[in-house]
Each structure stands twice: as C-alpha cells, then as structure tokens.
C-alpha cells in the first residue's frame, strides 16, 4: 500500500509530526491535512482544551529554525484577557437552565401531541431548534462534565451525532469561508455561493434564488441523515444506539405529521440564521490569501498563514437583535463574530466578550460587521441571486 503522506504542523514554533497521530485524532485526519506545513498555533488554542495542549508534550517534534519562527500574534493577548476574565468557564446554574428548558419544551410537545397537534408542531419545532443550539454549545465546551452530557444530549434529543458534528463544525470554524475546506459553504450543485468552473455549473443555478428557501427547510433532516450515515460508516456503536433510541422515541411519542412539521420549523429557522451570518461574506481560496495580499507586509516564515482573528472578522457578521424573541431564536449566533474568534466561550457570555472584540478591531483597524436580522436575510438573498444571474 502507498505510504500515507506525512503531516507536519507548527505550533508555538515547534514542528510536530502528526502523520500517525492523525489516525486517532478526535477531530479526524482531514482537519490536520488542511493545516499541513502551516503554523496552526491560533486555531489550535482557539478550539482545544488544556488536556489537548498537554498532549503535545507526547508528540514527535523539533524546534523550528530561527528563520522559520513566527512572533506571537495579537490574538493571544486578547485570548489571555478572556482567560483572566473567566470567560471560558461555564456557569453550571445557567447550563442547567439551558438543558432543562429544552426538556420541558419536548415534554409540552408530547402532552399536546394527541389533542392539539398544531400546537405540538410548534412546541416540537421550538424544542428541536433550541435543542440544536444547546447541543452546539455543549459540543463546543471543553468542560469535561458538559462534554459528557453533550455526548448523550445531542443524539438523544436532536438526532445529531456529536462526533460527526465536531469533525464538520470545527473544520468550519478554523477554515471559515475557505472554498476548499469549509463544508458549510460547499453547497454545489444545489446552491452556488461563488462562480463555479464550467464543469461545475448546472442549469439549476439560474433558479437558485427561487428555491434556496425550500432547501433550507430540510436542514435538520439533512443533518440527521449525515449523523446516522457518519455513525454507521465509522462504526460508532454508542452513537448508533443513542440515535436509534431518538428515532424510536419520536415514533412512539409523536404523530408523523407533528414530527415532520416540527423538524421543518426547526430546520427553517436554524438554516436562515446559520447561513445569513457568514455565507454572504468574503470567500477565501487558501490559508495564505490574507498573507499574500497584505500590502507592504513580508511573509515572515514559510509556515505563516492567515491571521486567525482577521479571517474570522472578514468572513462573519453579527446579527443585531431587536427583541427577546429574536435573541432567543438566534441561540447565541447573533454573536457570530465572538463565537468564531472564541468558540469555547459559553453562548451566554458572548455578549460580555463583544466590547473586547470591538476594541481589538479598533486597535488593528479591522471592520466589525453587524446589521439587523432582516437586513442580513436580504443581504444573503441578494448574494444568492447575484450568482444565479451571472453568466460564465
């Protein structure tokens, strides 16, 4: 058999050989290959726990030569402020409220199922939507008890595989809007978010602005399908059992129409939120785009890549919420910028992080982008429409 291509990644000016570790890496091999021959210090610390940092001591490595080394990025100073302010630490009382309120919503949906199916659909839709946000929050947590809860919560309540989600979503975070690495924007041939090559183009692109909203409605079901497929393909028996229990409980507790319309409600709301706050922003073709195009700035090392914070600020946008209803349904994603720069910060602390990020933007002359919910939906529609109308 052909020998696996070696994977070398620089962290803190040490070059790690992760070729064999990639087979047991909890986040999968692909995300490591994305960063082969690059300095991944910023994204590494952005998404990993202290336990992961300690694991570096056991991996094969060498010091980088003086001409290969990179200075500390300003991001680390900001991250140190977050650590000192306790922003990464969870509040277990609030965590309990988040989890229990979704359980109550599911229970309400069960009670309404027989006599009030229409209200049951709404309750189940809200429960599933909120369950998705809470599951997303738990999967990002690096607190061991919360991670353990999340490993059961997501498959049982929402029908999502935590391992599938972690692999897919962490890659989106550290490679946001990179056309070759971010699966959240790789929607061809159904939706085109940048101009395709001729061989990629299909007749339906001309009509994508008419049907994209219909596709959004099935997002929850698509993620469930991907979850089941991933669990089976990787033979993750624990997740297969938990996902089976989820679908069995739905079959026992709910009418088919309640489940169908409930997940359509959840999928539609979630889709319009998670797409609007980054899909219409700038696309990046490589991890060195921002390095190569920075006027008057020399490449310091062959391992240098895009500044992590700058890439997140360039490719994401916050949603200004006008009332508590919008605030609730956004599930923390109204602070998409803060969430992307610091994925480990609990969703209920993101608003507190906002002033620090705004100050960082002012200090480094980077635009801090935010606009209203309806304005952002309009921006997303115009973006999809523009690529439908363009001729190759």
């Amino acid at each position: 058999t052909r020998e696996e291509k070696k994977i070398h990644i620089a962290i803190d000016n040490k070059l790690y050989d992760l070729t064999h570790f990639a087979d047991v890496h909890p986040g999968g091999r692909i995300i490591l290959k994305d960063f082969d021959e690059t300095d991944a210090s910023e994204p590494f610390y952005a998404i990993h726990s202290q336990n992961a940092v300690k694991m570096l001591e056991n991996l094969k490595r060498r010091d980088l030569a003086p001409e290969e080394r990179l200075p500390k990025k300003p991001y680390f100073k900001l991250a140190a402020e977050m650590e000192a302010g306790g922003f990464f630490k969870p509040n277990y009382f609030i965590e309990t409220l988040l989890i229990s309120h979704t359980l109550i919503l599911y229970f309400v949906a069960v009670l309404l199922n027989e006599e009030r199916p229409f209200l049951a659909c709404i309750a189940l839709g809200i429960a599933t939507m909120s369950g998705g946000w809470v599951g997303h929050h738990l999967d990002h947590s690096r607190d061991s008890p919360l991670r353990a809860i999340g490993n059961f919560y997501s498959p049982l309540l929402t029908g999502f595989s935590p391992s599938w989600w972690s692999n897919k979503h962490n890659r989106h975070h550290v490679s946001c809007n990179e056309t070759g690495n971010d699966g959240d924007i790789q929607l061809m041939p159904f939706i085109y978010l940048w101009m395709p090559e001729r061989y990629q183009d299909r007749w339906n692109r001309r009509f994508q602005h008419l049907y994209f909203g219909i596709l959004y409605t099935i997002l929850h079901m698509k993620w469930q399908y991907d979850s089941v497929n991933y669990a089976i393909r990787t033979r993750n028996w624990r997740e297969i059992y938990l996902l089976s229990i989820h679908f069995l409980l739905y079959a026992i507790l709910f009418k088919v129409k309640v489940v169908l319309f409930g997940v359509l409600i959840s999928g539609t709301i979630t889709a319009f939120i998670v797409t609007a706050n980054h899909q219409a922003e700038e696309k990046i073709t490589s991890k060195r785009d921002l390095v190569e195009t920075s006027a008057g700035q020399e490449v310091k090392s062959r391992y240098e890549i895009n500044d992590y914070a700058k890439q997140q600020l360039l490719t994401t946008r916050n949603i200004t919420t006008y009332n508590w209803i919008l605030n609730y349904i956004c599930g923390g994603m109204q602070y998409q910028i803060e969430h992307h720069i610091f994925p480990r910060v609990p969703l209920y602390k993101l608003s507190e992080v906002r002033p620090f990020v705004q100050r960082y933007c002012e200090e480094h002359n980077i635009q801090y982008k935010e606009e209203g919910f309806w304005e952002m939906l309009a921006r997303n529609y115009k973006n999809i429409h523009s690529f439908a109308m363009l001729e190759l």
Side-chain angles (χ1 to χ4, degrees), residues 100-383:
S100 59
H101 104 276
T102 58
L103 295 175
I104 292 170
L105 285 169
Y106 277 105
F107 182 66
V108 170
V110 172
L111 292 179
L112 294 171
N113 179 64
E114 292 295 333
E115 301 297 328
R116 297 286 188 274
F118 175 75
L119 294 178
C121 290
I122 296 174
L124 184 60
I126 297 173
T128 307
M129 176 199 71
S130 299
W133 294 136
V134 174
H136 165 254
H137 160 72
L138 293 173
D139 290 340
H140 270 300
S141 176
R142 294 301 177 258
D143 177 80
S144 296
L146 294 180
R147 287 283 295 193
I149 292 171
N151 286 335
F152 286 90
Y153 180 95
S154 290
L156 284 175
L157 267 71
T158 62
F160 295 155
S161 154
S163 56
W164 162 79
W165 181 256
S166 179
N167 289 0
K168 168 188 178 296
H169 195 61
N170 284 334
R171 197 177 181 212
H172 158 68
H173 266 270
V174 297
S175 301
C176 188
N177 277 21
E178 291 179 19
T179 54
N181 299 326
D182 186 356
D184 283 13
I185 61 171
Q186 294 171 338
L187 305 178
M188 298 180 190
F190 304 106
I191 299 176
Y192 294 76
L193 298 173
W194 63 90
M195 282 305 289
E197 300 294 334
R198 286 192 179 277
Y199 74 90
Q200 297 173 313
D201 200 17
R202 298 291 185 274
W203 63 270
N204 55 286
R205 176 172 64 84
R206 284 77 176 170
F207 307 99
Q208 66 179 20
H209 59 295
L210 301 176
Y211 65 72
F212 79 97
I214 299 173
L215 291 182
Y216 281 7
T217 65
I218 63 171
L219 179 71
H220 191 95
M221 289 183 278
K222 172 65 166 59
W223 284 351
Q224 287 182 324
Y225 170 81
D226 289 342
S227 292
V228 172
N229 184 50
Y230 184 87
I232 293 173
R233 183 160 48 85
T234 57
R235 297 183 180 182
N236 189 326
W237 296 110
R238 182 184 62 82
E239 288 190 356
I240 291 172
Y241 294 143
L242 293 174
L243 290 169
S244 299
I245 292 172
H246 166 82
F247 293 113
L248 181 62
L249 286 174
Y250 266 42
I252 294 172
L253 298 174
F254 298 109
K255 295 178 179 180
V256 174
K257 62 182 179 181
V258 170
V259 173
L260 177 61
F261 286 104
V263 297
L264 287 176
I265 290 170
S266 168
T268 303
I269 296 173
T270 303
F272 275 100
I273 291 169
V274 300
T275 58
N277 53 18
H278 77 94
Q279 286 188 356
E281 304 307 317
E282 186 163 339
K283 307 301 183 298
I284 294 173
T285 58
S286 84
K287 292 197 177 298
R288 292 184 168 87
D289 273 9
L290 306 183
V291 175
E292 296 168 350
T293 57
S294 296
Q297 193 174 31
E298 294 183 2
V299 176
K300 301 179 183 68
S301 163
R302 70 188 183 96
Y303 296 106
E304 185 178 11
I305 59 172
N306 302 335
D307 180 279
Y308 176 76
K310 184 176 181 180
Q311 179 167 337
Q312 305 305 321
L313 287 159
L314 189 68
T315 57
T316 60
R317 183 180 296 262
N318 277 7
I319 303 172
T320 303
T321 51
Y322 311 110
N323 53 59
W324 70 268
I325 296 176
L326 272 178
N327 207 51
Y328 177 77
I329 68 170
C330 285
M333 296 304 96
Q334 64 270 43
Y335 302 109
Q336 179 81 336
I337 292 173
E338 289 74 21
H339 172 60
H340 261 251
I341 294 177
F342 298 113
R344 294 184 290 116
V345 170
L347 65 87
Y348 45 85
K349 290 187 177 183
L350 292 173
S351 62
E352 300 174 51
V353 173
R354 184 170 178 266
F356 291 88
V357 176
Q358 288 177 317
R359 187 199 68 204
Y360 179 90
C361 290
E362 290 175 4
E363 291 174 351
H364 297 278
N365 196 29
I366 303 173
Q367 183 184 6
Y368 182 90
K369 298 182 291 187
E370 61 181 343
E371 64 184 344
F373 181 73
W374 302 111
E375 291 82 359
M376 192 171 291
L377 293 185
R379 172 189 292 273
N380 200 38
Y381 171 80
K382 289 176 182 177
N383 183 60

Side-chain angles (χ1 to χ4, degrees), residues 5-149:
K5 184 182 181 299
K6 291 188 178 297
I7 300 174
H8 294 123
I9 296 177
I11 299 172
D12 291 337
N13 287 321
K14 298 182 187 298
L15 189 67
Y16 291 84
D17 184 344
L18 303 178
T19 310
H20 300 299
F21 174 73
D23 293 327
V24 295
H25 179 228
R29 172 179 287 272
I30 294 177
I31 194 171
L32 296 181
K33 291 174 71 174
D34 291 343
F35 284 90
D36 183 34
E37 296 297 326
T38 73
D39 176 70
S41 299
E42 292 172 289
F44 172 78
Y45 284 103
I47 65 173
H48 285 96
S49 66
Q50 285 303 309
N51 288 335
V53 174
K54 291 176 182 176
M55 287 178 64
L56 292 176
E57 299 173 4
N58 302 317
L59 298 176
K60 183 180 177 182
R61 64 192 182 276
R62 69 167 175 83
D63 290 336
L64 290 179
E67 68 273 11
E68 297 174 327
R69 296 182 181 183
L70 284 163
K72 282 276 189 182
K73 297 282 183 71
Y75 171 80
F76 288 105
K77 181 181 177 182
L78 182 60
E81 284 188 78
M82 299 298 103
E83 193 73 54
F87 290 106
F88 295 117
K89 294 180 180 179
N91 180 316
Y92 288 121
F93 176 72
I94 297 178
E95 300 287 348
T96 302
L97 290 179
L98 285 174
I99 294 169
S100 59
H101 104 276
T102 58
L103 295 175
I104 292 170
L105 285 169
Y106 277 105
F107 182 66
V108 170
V110 172
L111 292 179
L112 294 171
N113 179 64
E114 292 295 333
E115 301 297 328
R116 297 286 188 274
F118 175 75
L119 294 178
C121 290
I122 296 174
L124 184 60
I126 297 173
T128 307
M129 176 199 71
S130 299
W133 294 136
V134 174
H136 165 254
H137 160 72
L138 293 173
D139 290 340
H140 270 300
S141 176
R142 294 301 177 258
D143 177 80
S144 296
L146 294 180
R147 287 283 295 193
I149 292 171

